[in-house]
């Protein structure tokens, strides 16, 4: 099986060079992506592929349930590098419907460490209990919670000092909330874009 992956890789690199002989040489110099993607680790949500971007065009951070927790050193390191060094223009927080991480946060079962990781989603669920309880079925509740989680993470990113300091310096950064549908491959913009201190 692994041989297949290496063979795929060889064919992919050949195709890239055939279409654009300078492709890898250019990337070797430096990366200058305009976008930071913060998405779920789910294998069905491949960041670059969904939005048609090549290597070098999308800086990517993925974790279980696309969280942006203000105490997570991994996420914060990515965010600071993207904002201060790469100076990305857009930060895309991208959730997806039917997210297993979001579902696991609220199904009441115990799994161990991940229960702590998913704690912020239980807070979101608690804060929006009335709205969620008013929905007709579990699938609708889960999908709405996936959206509410994205909206909360957009707020986390937009209120982070790395981002607010960049705005204070006059840097242009927009933080967007999107949700992706595994069922039809389409992204929906949740309309919660933040482009400066509020
Ligand atoms: Co997910």
């Amino acid at each position: 099986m692994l041989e297949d992956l290496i063979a795929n890789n060889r064919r992919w690199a050949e195709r890239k060079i055939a279409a654009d002989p300078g492709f890898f040489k250019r990337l070797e110099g430096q990366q200058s992506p305009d976008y930071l993607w913060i998405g779920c680790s789910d294998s069905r949500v491949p960041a670059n592929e969904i939005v048609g971007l090549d290597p070098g065009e999308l800086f990517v951070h993925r974790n279980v349930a696309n969280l942006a927790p203000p105490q997570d050193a991994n996420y914060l390191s990515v965010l600071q590098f993207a904002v201060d060094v790469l100076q990305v223009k857009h930060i895309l927080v991208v959730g997806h419907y039917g997210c297993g991480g979001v579902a696991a946060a609220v199904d009441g079962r115990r799994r161990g460490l991940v229960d702590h990781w998913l704690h912020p989603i239980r807070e979101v669920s608690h804060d929006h209990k009335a709205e969620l309880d008013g929905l007709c079925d579990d699938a609708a509740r889960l999908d709405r919670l996936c959206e509410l989680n994205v909206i909360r993470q957009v707020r986390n990113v937009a209120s982070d000092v790395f981002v607010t300091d960049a705005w204070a310096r006059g840097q242009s950064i927009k933080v967007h909330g999107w949700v992706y549908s595994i069922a039809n491959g389409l992204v929906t913009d949740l309309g919660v874009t933040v482009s400066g201190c509020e």
Side-chain angles (χ1 to χ4, degrees):
M1 296 299 177
L2 282 181
E3 287 84 351
D4 293 345
L5 302 191
I6 298 291
N8 288 347
N9 165 258
R10 295 296 183 270
R11 281 195 298 275
W12 172 79
E14 281 164 15
R15 275 200 310 274
K16 283 290 181 195
I17 291 169
D20 176 2
F23 183 75
F24 292 109
K25 271 284 163 237
R26 271 202 315 282
L27 286 178
E28 207 180 5
Q30 63 169 69
Q31 60 168 342
S32 57
D34 287 331
Y35 311 96
L36 166 62
W37 173 286
I38 298 172
C40 184
S41 297
D42 193 303
S43 65
R44 299 166 295 178
V45 193
N48 284 65
E49 198 171 334
I50 288 170
V51 289
L53 291 180
D54 259 329
E57 296 182 323
L58 187 66
F59 198 58
V60 174
H61 178 73
R62 292 170 68 179
N63 60 41
V64 175
N66 43 270
L67 296 181
Q71 297 85 18
D72 178 48
N74 184 359
Y75 148 70
L76 289 174
S77 302
V78 169
L79 181 66
Q80 183 176 29
F81 189 75
V83 169
D84 290 355
V85 181
L86 298 174
Q87 306 208 342
V88 297
K89 302 282 185 284
H90 300 275
I91 299 174
L92 312 165
V93 178
V94 187
H96 66 99
Y97 293 122
C99 182
V102 172
V106 293
D107 70 2
R109 289 173 49 198
R110 289 288 162 263
R111 295 172 176 81
L113 180 60
V114 76
D115 295 321
H116 294 274
W117 173 255
L118 296 172
H119 181 83
I121 297 171
R122 285 195 291 281
E123 290 184 318
V124 173
S125 174
H126 183 262
D127 290 351
H128 296 271
K129 189 175 186 309
E131 179 190 347
L132 292 167
D133 284 351
L135 294 172
C136 54
D137 60 48
D138 286 347
R141 270 187 287 278
L142 173 59
D143 285 349
R144 181 58 182 153
L145 185 53
C146 290
E147 295 178 348
L148 293 168
N149 178 44
V150 168
I151 293 165
R152 176 68 61 94
Q153 304 315 313
V154 166
R155 266 173 38 199
N156 282 0
V157 173
S159 60
D160 192 277
V161 289
F162 294 143
V163 174
T164 57
D165 285 358
W167 280 329
R169 291 193 300 266
Q171 224 171 299
S172 171
I173 303 173
K174 289 191 166 82
V175 187
H176 311 266
W178 290 2
V179 63
Y180 173 77
S181 168
I182 287 169
N184 64 17
L186 299 178
V187 158
T188 302
D189 186 337
L190 292 174
V192 294
T193 300
V194 184
S195 50
C197 292
E198 291 172 324

